[in-house]
Amino acid sequence: DAKTTQPNSMESNEEEPVHLPCNHSTISGTDYIHWYRQLPSQGPEYVIHGLTSNVNNRMASLAIAEDRKSSTLILHRATLRDAAVYYCILREFQGAQKLVFGQGTRLTINP
Amino acid sequence: DADVTQTPRNRITKTGKRIMLECSQTKGHDRMYWYRQDPGLGLRLIYYSFDVKDINKGEISDGYSVSRQAQAKFSLSLESAIPNQTALYFCATSGGQEAGPQPQHFGDGTRLSIL
């Protein structure tokens, strides 16, 4: 499985944008980039995914580099409820399509 | 009501006991997964199933077995529990791959402690 690298922790302020980076230099052409988050005492929650183009949904935006070796999850206006561990994961298109979780980025939001 | 329900939510048991963790889903998904999470670590895949007749090992299947009783039910068993299986266990489901890998939907987890 191709690996991802994320900072261990990040901190931001409430109502400000947050950019969470992820490096995946060994990504293959068929790997999708998925982001999940895990709030305290809960199971992981799907956030967003993409292949080549930037993606937007109600939760966040995903910016994918042109060479696909990195991506950034953007929370446009962070709230206290966005404090969580964020996981950047590469998922193969074929086969098991399993999620391989790394350690993720622990995001702290200051009031 | 939750789409993915895990029972029990918490369990404390002794070494050597047989334990079953149950997962049921109302999402109509074919694919179901079992993960474990240890403190400070990400999730690791134990077993996964693409339909009732399909069971596959994940990266840490030793010491575990599973049963897919129906499309909606996927159980994880520890035949003879040992202390290093103390962890948080998550069940997840996903749809097929009509348009690329589909999101997985997780239950709230079972916290298992083995003394």
Side-chain angles (χ1 to χ4, degrees), chain B residues 3-19:
Chain B
D3 294 323
V4 183
T5 303
Q6 293 184 234
T7 55
R9 292 296 315 279
N10 294 281
R11 177 81 184 270
I12 300 173
T13 191
K14 295 182 178 180
T15 298
K17 294 290 188 180
R18 183 179 188 274
I19 302 159

Side-chain angles (χ1 to χ4, degrees), chain B residues 7-8 11 17-23 34 65 67 69 74-79 110 112:
Chain B
T7 55
R11 177 81 184 270
K17 294 290 188 180
R18 183 179 188 274
I19 302 159
M20 179 179 286
L21 308 183
E22 300 191 353
C23 178
W34 275 105
S65 63
S67 173
Q69 302 95 323
F74 192 36
S75 300
L76 176 71
S77 294
L78 288 69
E79 296 299 327
T110 294
L112 179 61

Side-chain angles (χ1 to χ4, degrees), chain A residues 30 32 34 36 38 41-46 49 87 91-103 106, chain B residues 9 31 33 35 37 40-43 45 48 50 59 88 90 94 96-97 99-104 106-108:
Chain A
T30 56
Y32 282 72
H34 280 236
Y36 284 73
Q38 187 174 16
S41 302
Q42 293 186 24
E45 175 187 29
Y46 167 78
H49 77 281
Y87 296 98
R91 290 188 74 191
E92 55 198 359
F93 179 74
Q94 300 297 334
Q97 298 183 5
K98 57 185 181 289
L99 290 174
V100 178
F101 287 80
Q103 295 199 11
R106 182 173 299 278
Chain B
R9 292 296 315 279
R31 301 180 178 207
Y33 306 79
Y35 294 86
Q37 185 173 34
L41 299 179
L43 280 71
L45 182 64
Y48 61 100
F50 281 4
E59 57 182 311
L88 189 53
F90 289 103
S94 72
Q97 57 177 43
Q102 296 301 300
Q104 290 186 13
F106 287 79
D108 288 333

